[in-house]
């Protein structure tokens, strides 16, 4: 129940209120935010460029009093860090062998772990850094002395936690990110999973959007977390203005941002998933190819190791929100776009297959449940795209021993409503013949509803469909969905796992409900069909193979056997997409669903009713 046990790290971006050239004041504000980050159980806190002096000191950077003050401020930060767990990354000017560098100092547990100089210095428009500083790659020393200690120095340093190997970070400074190949690109190839940018980026109209694009793009391209801290209130507005823009991105996704133009110090934090970064780098083998292509650059990096000593609280939940329905966007507009996109993919796949095999017809079994309904809608749209009559959909509903009156009615209405060639085949006589042939107890009048009884029905349906496919020279369109296939909740061999082309095989159960509701509200079909589609979306999920106690009602509900599909699809997403350990998937599920117990779990139908709201199921109004 502790996020640090599952390869998460809580990282912070700080934007302190500053006073120009008042290093004692700036050090005090820095320490205050370090304490806040420690109270928030953060592993690292990032501060702005030249934050111990302020960025806008201009020619004061050549005053020894200011440079000595910066060192004194760094010493204040170092001493404070002795009792504060987070790694602290602060900006200051440093003299090295008679040259002045714009630097990031990495401080942890009373030690300065290393110092990283800025590589690219802007000397255009409103920037005068080349007047004050020397580019980092000019330095030829690998270590500098701070007090009694020799400290690693250079632009190619990666800091790695020995007790959390996936937590490796590297720093670059402001303009470095604006270059065609930022230094952090090579740092990522050298193993850094977290990239830091100490910035003093001034504000102009629209610049915040461009900064966000740069940070998002760099985190996505490098498959890394990217933290950005820009100078805020207190900097001199003589030549420039400042908005205090702080950001945390992970693989191109924004996790947190500061309030711009705040008149106070700020601290934001987010939980970064190191497993996701590592898994994506492993899967995206072009990342490894880039490491090899730039091996000369990568090998120039040095590793500085330290012990993170992450907070060991017994219970430390995630602050980060994980959607309960990862396949279904909570934003209505995004959700509608997702439904359209999924539908187009399904239809295009089927159209391509039909054209490739020269078929103008399809055979499909329609039960009146979720999966076959979605497959039928895909077939209807495919016929429209191909310019063929929907009567070329040869749709069959095949009631068995446990077919419910509701689903049978829905199947009939749907087949007729979409314009398919509809037919009904009662499979009970052929099933009874099979049961007699194998001497099953049910054939002798006993109510034995075992797996054989179930599979005889499933097998008969599939057998009929394949023979109908032979008869009409048309492929069988499969209806089974991703959730059922992943859980093994489908009939092996000649059961509902079989088809010539399965249009729902990549679509999870929770998403299929939304696809059907989207179709119902898209004005594509008649009002009667739309009403039936809404009914289908509200229907309990059942294979309808075992008779219920009341006539016309099935005994089975799938979720009584396999558990709530909402939770299973949550498991499925994080297992398939990211390859997480089962214990981590369980931790994520606990964070997303822990206010639900076994006796208070929403049914599949309840989870998508129109009046649902985010605070009830976490999916927004539907």
């Amino acid at each position: 129940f502790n996020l640090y046990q599952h390869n998460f790290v809580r990282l912070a971006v700080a934007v302190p209120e500053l006073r120009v050239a008042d290093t004692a004041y700036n050090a005090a504000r820095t320490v205050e935010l370090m304490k806040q980050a420690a109270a928030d159980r953060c592993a690292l806190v990032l501060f702005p460029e030249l934050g111990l002096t302020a960025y806008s000191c201009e020619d004061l950077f050549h005053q020894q009093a200011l440079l000595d003050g910066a060192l004194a401020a760094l010493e204040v930060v170092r001493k404070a860090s002795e009792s504060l767990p987070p790694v602290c990354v602060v900006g200051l000017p440093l003299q090295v062998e008679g040259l002045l560098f714009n630097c990031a100092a990495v401080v942890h547990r009373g030690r300065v772990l290393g110092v990283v100089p800025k590589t690219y210095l802007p000397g255009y428009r409103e920037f005068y850094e080349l007047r004050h500083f020397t580019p980092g790659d000019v330095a030829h020393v690998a270590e500098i002395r701070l007090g009694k200690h020799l400290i690693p120095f250079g632009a190619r340093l990666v800091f790695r936690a020995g007790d959390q190997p996936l937590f490796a970070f590297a720093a670059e400074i402001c303009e470095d990110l604006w270059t065609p190949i930022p230094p952090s690109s090579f740092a990522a190839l050298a193993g850094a999973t977290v990239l830091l940018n100490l910035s003093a980026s001034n504000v102009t109209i629209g610049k915040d959007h461009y900064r966000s694009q740069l940070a998002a793009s760099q985190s996505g391209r490098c498959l890394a977390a990217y933290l950005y801290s820009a100078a805020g209130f207190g900097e001199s507005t003589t030549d420039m203005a400042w908005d205090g823009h702080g950001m945390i991105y992970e693989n191109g996704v924004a996790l947190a941002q500061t309030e711009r133009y705040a008149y106070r110090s700020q601290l934001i934090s987010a939980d970064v998933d190191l497993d996701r970064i590592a898994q994506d780098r492993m899967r995206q083998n072009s990342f490894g190819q880039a490491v090899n292509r730039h091996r000369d650059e990568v090998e120039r990096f040095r590793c500085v190791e330290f012990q993170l000593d992450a907070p060991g609280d017994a219970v430390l939940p995630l602050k980060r929100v994980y959607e309960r329905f990862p396949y279904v966007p909570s934003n209505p507009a995004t959700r509608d776009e997702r439904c359209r996109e999924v539908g187009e993919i399904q239809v295009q796949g089927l159209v391509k297959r039909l054209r490739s095999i020269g078929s103008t017809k399809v055979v499909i079994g329609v039960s009146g449940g979720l999966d076959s309904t979605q497959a039928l809608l895909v077939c209807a749209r495919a016929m429209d795209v191909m310019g063929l009559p929907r009567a070329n959909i040869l749709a069959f509903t095949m009631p068995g021993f446990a077919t419910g009156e509701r689903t049978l009615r829905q199947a009939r209405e749907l087949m007729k409503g979409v314009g398919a060639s509809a037919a009904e085949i009662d499979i009970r006589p052929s099933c009874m013949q099979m049961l007699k042939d194998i001497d099953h107890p049910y054939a002798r009048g006993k109510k034995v509803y075992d797996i054989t009884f179930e599979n005889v029905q499933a097998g008969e349906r599939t057998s009929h469909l394949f023979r109908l496919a032979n008869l009409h020279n048309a492929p069988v369109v499969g209806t089974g969905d991703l959730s059922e296939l992943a859980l093994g909740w489908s009939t092996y061999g000649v059961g509902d796992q079989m088809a010539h082309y399965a249009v729902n095989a990549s679509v999870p159960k929770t998403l299929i409900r939304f696809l059907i509701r989207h179709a119902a509200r898209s004005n594509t079909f008649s009002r009667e069909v739309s009403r039936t589609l809404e009914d289908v979306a509200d229907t309990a999920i059942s294979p309808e193979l075992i008779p219920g106690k009341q006539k016309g009602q099935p005994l089975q509900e799938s979720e009584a056997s396999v558990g709530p599909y909402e939770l299973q699809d949550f498991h499925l997403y994080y297992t398939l997409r990211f390859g997480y350990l089962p214990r981590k998937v369980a931790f994520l599920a606990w964070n997303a669903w822990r206010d639900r117990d076994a006796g208070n779990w929403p049914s599949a139908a309840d989870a998508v009713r129109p009046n649902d709201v985010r605070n009830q199921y976490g999916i927004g109004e539907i």
Side-chain angles (χ1 to χ4, degrees), residues 321-325 328 330 593 613-620:
V321 174
Y322 277 84
E323 294 286 354
R324 292 175 171 179
F325 297 83
V328 185
S330 57
W593 291 100
V613 292
R614 172 179 288 276
N615 62 6
Q616 186 176 10
Y617 295 121
I619 53 177

Side-chain angles (χ1 to χ4, degrees), residues 252-416:
V253 177
L255 301 184
Q257 295 207 33
T258 58
E259 174 191 341
R260 295 170 59 230
Y261 301 108
Y263 290 84
R264 65 189 186 284
S265 295
Q266 291 190 78
L267 182 84
I268 58 170
S269 63
D271 300 330
V272 168
D273 187 348
L274 300 175
D275 273 334
R276 177 182 178 182
I277 294 167
Q279 289 283 342
D280 281 355
R281 288 183 177 184
M282 178 180 67
R283 284 177 170 80
Q284 191 169 314
N285 55 19
S286 57
F287 186 90
Q289 294 171 35
V291 172
N292 184 61
R293 181 175 292 273
H294 298 284
R295 184 159 300 281
D296 289 346
E297 190 69 34
V298 169
E299 289 176 349
R300 297 172 66 187
F301 277 82
R302 290 175 287 156
C303 182
V304 179
E305 190 164 305
F306 66 99
Q307 293 299 112
L308 180 61
D309 296 328
D313 306 60
V315 176
L316 186 58
L318 292 167
K319 292 170 60 177
R320 179 171 175 172
V321 174
Y322 277 84
E323 294 286 354
R324 292 175 171 179
F325 297 83
Y327 293 106
V328 185
S330 57
N331 181 283
T334 308
R335 186 168 58 245
D336 286 345
E337 179 59 33
R338 176 72 55 83
C339 289
R340 284 190 291 271
E341 186 82 1
V342 171
E344 290 294 342
I345 292 171
Q346 289 182 285
V347 170
Q348 187 178 89
L350 180 57
V351 169
K352 168 63 178 175
R353 179 57 59 96
L354 294 176
R355 286 178 174 171
S356 295
I357 64 176
S359 180
T360 58
K361 297 180 180 180
V362 294
V363 171
I364 184 172
V366 180
S367 68
L370 287 171
D371 295 340
S372 65
T373 296
Q374 177 60 19
L376 180 62
L377 297 179
V378 172
C379 290
R381 176 72 179 126
M383 291 299 148
D384 295 345
V385 170
M386 296 176 70
L388 298 171
R390 291 184 179 177
N392 285 17
I393 304 171
L394 310 180
F396 300 87
T397 188
M398 294 173 280
F401 296 116
T403 298
E405 294 176 357
R406 173 175 179 166
T407 52
L408 183 58
R409 171 182 55 79
Q410 289 170 177
R412 290 166 176 165
E413 292 174 354
L414 286 170
M415 293 188 297
K416 178 182 177 182

Side-chain angles (χ1 to χ4, degrees), residues 462 465-466 476-479 491-502:
T462 303
L465 290 174
F466 273 84
V476 175
V477 173
T479 61
T491 310
Y492 178 71
V494 293
D496 56 4
Q497 189 186 51
M498 296 292 292
H500 290 116
Y501 191 74

Side-chain angles (χ1 to χ4, degrees), residues 108-167:
H108 183 241
R109 288 296 195 183
R111 294 172 52 207
V112 178
L113 299 180
V115 174
V116 179
K118 185 173 183 176
T119 301
Y120 294 97
L121 303 179
Y124 56 89
R125 293 179 182 166
E126 67 267 38
F127 301 107
Y128 304 97
E129 285 187 42
L130 281 170
R131 174 183 174 92
H132 307 122
F133 299 105
T134 301
D137 53 8
V138 171
H140 297 294
V141 295
E143 293 178 319
I144 60 173
R145 184 171 293 278
L146 289 177
K148 299 179 181 179
H149 302 283
L150 284 175
I151 308 299
F153 178 83
R156 295 174 180 84
L157 296 179
V158 172
F159 301 84
R160 185 182 299 276
D163 52 347
Q164 172 50 283
L166 293 183
F167 182 40

